[in-house]
């Protein structure tokens, strides 16, 4: 009896390219799943969302500030050029931070925090200047800086290093509190000395994010949270300006001298924008009706000019940013990277939610900018540096460095394409 042979060639199934009837399901589904589980997904989520938010912010700063710049007798591009300069300063810092290894932040955490606190203390010297009841800026060589923004990043890095070192002992309430909470309270206290409650609230969220990711027992977490709430209430009731803003928020009275006026015009801007907006540059509220249109209330101008679609785009970009950070926390093997990323995520995403909550009237007017979007040099530079730190951690995920180095450079790919076209 002759032996028959199978004339059909057998091919080896490739990962992510299974047949339609195989166990892996459809090729497209496996391919998408493989891309999502890729070691570089966090890296591209973080870099892509950061760049898009930065570009959107520059466009909206130009649109929202041009009228006030002209009214002040200057160029309509004055605030935009200033913001663009800060972005150009922040880009190399972001790149440098994204190339530093985790061990650098672990080794120099104490020096970074002490240096930032010393800078913050300079606001109480002749170098310090005040505005709107807050003394939170320094003037050096004609340049104004806000040291509290550097304190945020320094505190996030320090908490990551300290809590990671004590992670095995954090179930003991003494180790979970000391030295993390006393040192954090010192850092927050020097900011509160300048009467900047908004920044202090963001720093409290930052500390909470670090403690939560570190695995501090919930009973300690709850007690610390209750203490923070009591402290914030105490600071609010002892300030006439803050109590005025809170009373305006609950009464709904748009007092021209208080925060209710800003909230009223912010919601009017959002309502006027409708689904698709009035068009880029067509805002009416920026004509001196809405104070801080290019800063704390820039989200309202986005809603007025770009409509609901524009505001949803901003929310989507921050959601992608948060997703990238959560992936780093879940996938990175080093607890320093996990805890520091948790702190930075609570800072940036929490501050964004507070800012948008103020604009839509869900939160009393606090005075915090929208990260990467609002005008403000120190806030932009330090936010970019913080994202650079998280991008560094994303590059340190298992397999990420190898995957990134294996991919050809964008310039080389472009030149190769041009060469093939010419041939």
């Amino acid at each position: 009896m002759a032996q028959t042979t199978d004339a059909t060639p057998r091919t080896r199934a490739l990962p992510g390219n299974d047949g339609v009837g195989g166990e892996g399901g459809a090729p497209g589904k496996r391919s998408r799943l493989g891309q999502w589980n890729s070691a570089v997904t966090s890296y591209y989520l973080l870099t892509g969302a950061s760049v898009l938010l930065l570009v959107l912010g520059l466009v909206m700063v130009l649109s929202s500030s041009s009228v006030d710049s002209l009214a002040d007798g200057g160029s309509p591009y004055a605030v935009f050029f200033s913001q663009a300069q800060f972005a150009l300063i922040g880009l190399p810092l972001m790149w440098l931070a994204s190339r530093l290894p985790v061990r650098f932040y672990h080794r120099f955490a104490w020096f970074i925090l002490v240096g930032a606190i010393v800078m913050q203390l300079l606001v109480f010297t002749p170098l310090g200047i005040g505005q709107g009841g807050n003394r939170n800026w320094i003037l050096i060589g004609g340049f104004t800086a806000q040291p509290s923004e550097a304190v945020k990043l320094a505190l996030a890095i320090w908490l990551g290093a300290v809590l990671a070192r004590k992670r095995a002992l954090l179930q003991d309430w003494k180790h979970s509190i000391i030295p993390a909470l006393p040192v954090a309270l010192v850092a927050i206290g020097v900011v509160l000395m300048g009467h900047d409650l908004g920044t202090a609230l963001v720093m409290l969220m930052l500390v909470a994010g670090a403690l939560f990711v570190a695995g501090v027992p919930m009973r300690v977490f709850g007690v610390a949270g209750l203490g923070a709430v009591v402290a914030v209430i105490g600071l609010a009731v002892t300030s006439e300006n803050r109590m005025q803003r809170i009373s305006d928020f609950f009464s709904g009275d748009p007092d021209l001298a208080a925060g209710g006026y800003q909230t009223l015009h912010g919601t009017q801007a959002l309502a006027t924008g409708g689904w698709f907006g009035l068009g880029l540059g067509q805002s009416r509220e920026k004509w001196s009706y809405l104070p801080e249109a290019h800063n704390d209330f820039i989200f309202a101008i986005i809603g007025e000019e770009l409509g609901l679609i524009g505001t949803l785009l901003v929310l989507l970009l921050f959601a992608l940013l948060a997703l990238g950070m959560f992936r780093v926390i879940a996938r990175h093997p080093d607890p320093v990277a996990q805890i520091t990323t948790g702190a930075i995520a609570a800072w940036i995403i929490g501050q964004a939610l507070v800012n948008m909550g103020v604009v839509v009237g869900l939160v009393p007017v606090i005075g915090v900018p929208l990260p990467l979007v609002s005008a403000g040099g120190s806030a932009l530079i330090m936010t970019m540096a913080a994202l650079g730190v998280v991008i560094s951690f994303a590059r340190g995920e298992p397999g990420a460095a190898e995957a990134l180095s294996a991919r050809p450079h964008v310039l080389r790919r472009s030149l190769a394409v041009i060469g093939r076209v010419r041939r």
Side-chain angles (χ1 to χ4, degrees):
M1 183 176 179
Q3 183 179 3
T4 60
T5 59
D6 188 358
T8 304
R10 297 180 182 272
T11 57
R12 183 180 179 184
L14 298 177
N17 193 29
D18 297 299
V20 175
E23 294 180 1
K29 183 176 181 181
R30 280 295 300 271
S31 177
R32 289 191 295 270
L33 183 61
Q35 291 174 356
W36 174 250
N37 290 327
S38 170
V40 293
T41 300
S42 303
Y43 173 82
Y44 285 116
L45 281 174
L46 292 166
T47 54
S50 299
V51 170
L52 289 174
L53 281 170
L54 179 62
V55 172
L56 176 65
L58 289 173
V59 172
M60 294 311 304
V61 165
L62 172 60
S63 176
S64 58
S65 65
S66 57
V67 173
D68 285 341
S69 297
L70 281 171
D72 294 337
S75 165
Y77 307 104
V79 178
F80 167 75
F81 284 147
S82 177
Q83 187 75 353
Q85 289 174 357
F86 291 128
L88 291 176
I89 295 172
L91 281 174
L93 287 178
M94 186 178 183
W95 179 87
L96 177 61
S98 70
R99 262 53 182 181
L100 294 175
V102 178
R103 63 179 179 273
F104 171 86
Y105 300 109
H106 189 277
R107 183 177 302 174
F108 294 100
W110 273 102
F111 297 99
I112 295 172
L113 180 62
V114 171
I117 291 177
V118 170
M119 286 181 58
Q120 177 63 28
L121 291 174
L122 291 178
V123 304
F124 307 110
T125 68
L127 296 174
I129 56 177
Q131 180 181 353
N134 295 343
R135 188 175 180 86
N136 206 26
W137 294 266
I138 56 175
L139 181 63
I140 301 178
F143 294 95
T144 303
Q146 190 174 359
S148 59
E149 295 295 330
V151 177
K152 291 180 189 176
L153 178 56
L155 183 59
I157 294 172
W158 180 84
L159 285 170
V162 169
L163 292 174
R165 189 182 299 119
K166 303 186 68 174
R167 200 167 196 179
L169 305 172
L170 291 180
Q171 294 304 313
D172 185 345
W173 68 270
K174 290 178 291 187
H175 288 284
S176 60
I177 290 177
I178 300 173
L181 287 186
V183 175
L185 289 175
V186 170
I188 296 172
V190 295
V191 173
L192 280 175
M193 287 169 61
H195 306 289
D196 190 354
L197 181 60
T199 301
L201 288 175
V202 174
M203 293 175 69
L204 285 175
M205 291 190 290
L206 182 155
V207 175
L211 294 176
F212 182 80
V213 174
V216 170
M218 292 306 296
R219 62 183 184 277
V220 177
F221 198 85
V223 172
L226 181 61
V229 170
V230 172
V232 169
I233 293 175
L235 290 168
V237 299
T238 55
S239 170
E240 183 178 351
N241 181 42
R242 294 168 190 153
M243 286 303 299
Q244 181 66 52
R245 293 184 180 185
I246 293 172
S247 63
D248 289 340
F249 173 76
F250 286 106
S251 67
D253 179 20
D255 187 353
L256 296 181
Y261 177 83
Q262 286 179 289
T263 302
L264 174 66
H265 282 271
T267 53
Q268 284 179 348
L270 293 171
T272 304
W275 282 93
F276 302 103
L278 302 177
L280 190 62
Q282 302 301 312
S283 168
R284 301 164 185 168
E285 292 292 338
K286 69 182 181 183
W287 289 80
S288 301
Y289 292 108
L290 178 62
E292 303 296 335
H294 60 284
N295 197 337
D296 296 348
F297 277 76
I298 196 169
F299 187 68
I301 305 301
I302 294 174
E304 186 180 14
E305 295 190 347
L306 304 182
L308 179 63
I309 303 301
T311 58
L312 291 178
L313 173 62
V314 174
L315 285 170
L316 175 62
L317 291 175
F318 276 110
L320 292 176
L321 204 60
L323 182 59
M325 294 185 190
F326 295 157
R327 280 178 57 89
V328 172
I329 295 171
R331 295 169 59 91
H332 204 287
D334 196 320
V336 175
Q338 294 174 339
I339 298 169
T340 303
T341 302
I344 293 174
W347 155 20
I348 295 178
I349 305 304
Q351 180 172 320
L353 292 176
V354 169
N355 176 275
M356 290 183 279
V358 168
V359 173
V360 301
L362 295 177
V363 181
V365 176
I366 296 175
V368 293
L370 187 61
L372 295 176
V373 180
S374 294
S378 300
L380 178 62
I381 291 172
M382 286 298 104
T383 302
M384 294 176 69
L387 289 170
V389 172
V390 180
I391 291 172
S392 168
F393 299 153
R395 292 170 59 87
E397 287 185 21
E402 295 80 1
L404 288 171
S405 61
R407 298 191 177 201
H409 194 274
V410 174
L411 179 59
R412 285 196 306 232
R413 290 203 304 266
S414 303
L415 292 176
V417 172
I418 294 173
R420 287 197 295 269
V421 171
R422 286 180 176 176
R423 288 198 295 271

